[in-house]
Amino acid sequence: MSIQHPLKISGTFLDEISHDIPHQNWGVKEWDADFAHMAKMGIDTVFLIRSGYQRFLTYPSTYLIEQQGCYEPLTDLVEMYLVLAEKHGMDFYFGTYDSGVYWETGNMLHELDCNKYVIEEAYRKYGHYNAFKGWYLSLELSRKTKGSVEAIASLGRQCKDVSGGLPVMISPWIDGKKAVLAAEGKLAKQDMVSLKTHYQEWDEIFDGIKNDVDTVAFQDGHVDYHELEHFLNINKELADKYGLNSWTNIESFDRDMPIKFLPIKFEKMLLKLKAAQKAGCSKAITFEFSHFMSPQSAYLQAGHLYNRYMEYFNEEN
């Protein structure tokens, strides 16, 4: 009987804004080295987690600086990432802007006004790079919140229209027992979504975004390890129903620890990779390599996670 190997990680987010994890103060030298580590591990796709958050930006957006009062960045990180992606043979997905208003109000519609300018501006500035291969909608959702389907569909449609149909990805979360705010002290909650309700809600959401989004990569850290495969099976079934790619976002940080956030134990990561393989996910990406898996991360244990991962899959090959 053949052994079914776990799914390997082949993509990562790039989190330079560092909203709720420490900034590492890297320059192009450190980022170049990190892309080399990613490539050695088999990563072929990088996703900018967001092009800006509140007033901090990854690129000098004329619109956001002049119209939204954002700070002008010292370095054009989007250009740097695109150059490094091309150097290391990777695809790059541009992440949209997050004003932070949605997290305060629960209403996604506000994000439409800002991003309609950002999407056009970004593709005009960077669309000529060969590595520019798609879009990531940074508006995370879990359930059908106010304006969510309309916002996701509208932004996805605009991304495709502007770029000649380049693919669009979203990475929602499952409203499980670990779905608590990072600023909260607790690690779990009582009012978690059931499998039945998850299916019903996402059946409706997928139906509303099916023509404007290509790929859904659910965050995998909000439910217990023994529950994950059941939720991933539902995600895959619904994705197939509506013609979407079903990926998984393997969180490489640990939600079980009282300190938020530290690199995950490799055994836990392996459980999640195996669940994704069994559920039929076609690609595993992670949030995120540079802080939680990189040999040059500010967290010493991140390099150890990288070593354990490399050892395991070298033995399997």
Side-chain angles (χ1 to χ4, degrees):
M1 185 175 70
S2 63
I3 300 175
Q4 192 175 40
H5 299 310
L7 195 62
K8 291 184 180 180
I9 295 172
S10 59
T12 183
F13 284 99
L14 303 170
D15 185 16
E16 178 60 13
I17 292 295
S18 302
H19 162 49
D20 52 10
I21 49 179
H23 200 282
Q24 302 197 101
N25 291 303
W26 288 355
V28 65
K29 179 180 178 181
E30 291 86 359
W31 277 111
D32 191 10
D34 223 49
F35 272 66
H37 289 307
M38 295 176 199
K40 185 177 180 181
M41 192 177 113
I43 288 175
D44 57 23
T45 316
V46 290
F47 306 84
L48 184 65
I49 188 70
R50 56 185 76 83
S51 53
Y53 180 69
Q54 295 180 341
R55 293 181 184 267
F56 287 95
L57 303 177
T58 60
Y59 78 101
S61 165
T62 301
Y63 168 75
L64 291 174
I65 293 170
E66 294 182 355
Q67 302 300 319
Q68 300 296 320
C70 293
Y71 307 132
E72 183 171 0
L74 293 174
T75 304
D76 187 335
L77 297 169
V78 173
E79 183 177 54
M80 182 191 72
Y81 288 146
L82 282 161
V83 170
L84 291 176
E86 292 190 354
K87 176 181 177 179
H88 294 278
M90 299 178 187
D91 293 342
F92 173 88
Y93 279 55
F94 180 89
T96 54
Y97 174 69
D98 184 348
S99 71
V101 173
Y102 161 61
W103 299 108
E104 298 174 359
T105 65
N107 187 350
M108 278 193 177
L109 293 177
H110 177 272
E111 307 300 326
L112 289 174
D113 292 335
C114 293
N115 275 296
K116 67 182 181 182
Y117 295 103
V118 169
I119 290 166
E120 292 179 1
E121 180 183 60
Y123 197 71
R124 185 170 61 250
K125 287 173 67 72
Y126 307 111
H128 63 282
Y129 282 92
N130 292 330
F132 197 121
K133 293 294 176 62
W135 304 87
Y136 169 64
L137 303 185
S138 63
L139 303 177
E140 300 176 26
L141 72 154
S142 176
R143 307 174 78 163
K144 193 180 177 185
T145 55
K146 184 178 181 181
S148 60
V149 173
E150 179 183 345
I152 293 295
S154 178
L155 291 177
R157 191 177 314 120
Q158 184 183 5
C159 287
K160 289 177 172 294
D161 290 344
V162 165
S163 63
L166 287 181
V168 175
M169 186 191 79
I170 62 172
S171 185
W173 78 89
I174 301 165
D175 195 22
K177 74 174 190 178
K178 300 181 191 179
V180 296
L181 294 175
E184 294 182 359
K186 62 183 180 181
L187 298 175
K189 64 179 185 177
Q190 296 297 320
D191 55 333
M192 65 196 79
V193 71
S194 67
L195 289 168
K196 180 180 179 181
T197 301
H198 180 76
Y199 184 100
Q200 292 171 339
E201 291 180 342
W202 279 96
D203 188 25
E204 185 175 351
I205 294 171
F206 279 7
D207 188 35
I209 65 174
K210 62 181 182 294
N211 296 320
D212 307 301
V213 169
D214 301 274
T215 299
V216 180
F218 274 89
Q219 302 168 33
D220 74 348
H222 296 91
V223 298
D224 258 338
Y225 304 100
H226 63 278
E227 300 174 311
L228 179 60
E229 185 182 342
H230 303 301
F231 282 97
L232 292 178
N233 282 331
I234 289 175
N235 299 342
K236 178 65 165 61
E237 179 183 344
L238 290 173
D240 288 348
K241 177 180 178 180
Y242 291 105
L244 302 171
N245 300 314
S246 182
W247 295 357
T248 186
N249 179 0
I250 300 283
E251 292 183 343
S252 41
F253 63 91
D254 199 336
R255 290 187 180 274
D256 303 328
M257 299 289 291
I259 301 174
K260 301 174 182 177
F261 295 100
L262 297 174
I264 199 169
K265 181 180 180 180
F266 177 62
E267 183 179 351
K268 293 179 178 179
M269 173 178 277
L270 192 57
L271 285 172
K272 299 195 294 182
L273 288 168
K274 288 180 177 179
Q277 180 70 40
K278 289 180 181 178
C281 296
S282 56
K283 188 178 182 73
I285 64 177
T286 188
F287 183 86
E288 51 74 78
F289 179 87
S290 297
H291 280 90
F292 305 119
M293 291 195 76
S294 172
Q296 61 174 6
S297 167
Y299 298 122
L300 182 64
Q301 59 269 49
H304 297 319
L305 176 59
Y306 180 85
N307 291 338
R308 302 293 81 74
Y309 180 95
M310 297 294 282
E311 288 171 358
Y312 180 87
F313 281 104
N314 282 340
E315 290 176 0
E316 293 288 315
N317 287 335

